[in-house]
Amino acid sequence: ASPKDSLPPASTSSPIVYKFLCDCGAAYIGRTSRPLAVRSGEHIPKWLREGRSGICQTAIAEHLLECDSNGFRWSLDVIMSA
């Protein structure tokens, strides 16, 4: 299954507070001043998005692999931006 990501434009570089929300209800709040698409790619690497195996380097990726939620579904929302 593919993630249901709704990212703002890649050019966004002002400080952003964002929230990953898994279908199981687990949430992660983060902050970045880099483009959100770049930060999202760090949290959920390409190998995971493509359903391949790899080494988890973030708590979000680890959660998505271990979660009992149906089909690797998550959302990404901007909570606040400058």
Side-chain angles (χ1 to χ4, degrees):
S2 62
K4 51 183 179 181
D5 53 344
S6 56
L7 301 177
S11 61
T12 302
S13 61
S14 59
I16 295 172
V17 177
Y18 59 94
K19 177 170 80 171
F20 272 100
L21 182 62
C22 180
D23 272 4
C24 75
Y28 171 87
I29 307 292
R31 181 181 63 177
T32 187
S33 59
R34 296 181 298 136
L36 189 54
V38 170
R39 188 65 184 122
S40 172
E42 293 168 351
H43 281 304
I44 304 179
K46 186 176 181 181
W47 62 263
L48 182 57
R49 292 190 307 268
E50 293 176 348
R52 295 183 287 125
S53 60
I55 297 172
C56 288
Q57 297 182 347
T58 69
I60 292 173
E62 186 173 328
H63 171 80
L64 290 173
L65 283 175
E66 295 176 356
C67 183
D68 290 334
S69 182
N70 188 12
F72 182 68
R73 296 174 58 102
W74 55 274
S75 62
L76 175 64
D77 299 306
V78 173
I79 297 174
M80 179 174 47
S81 63

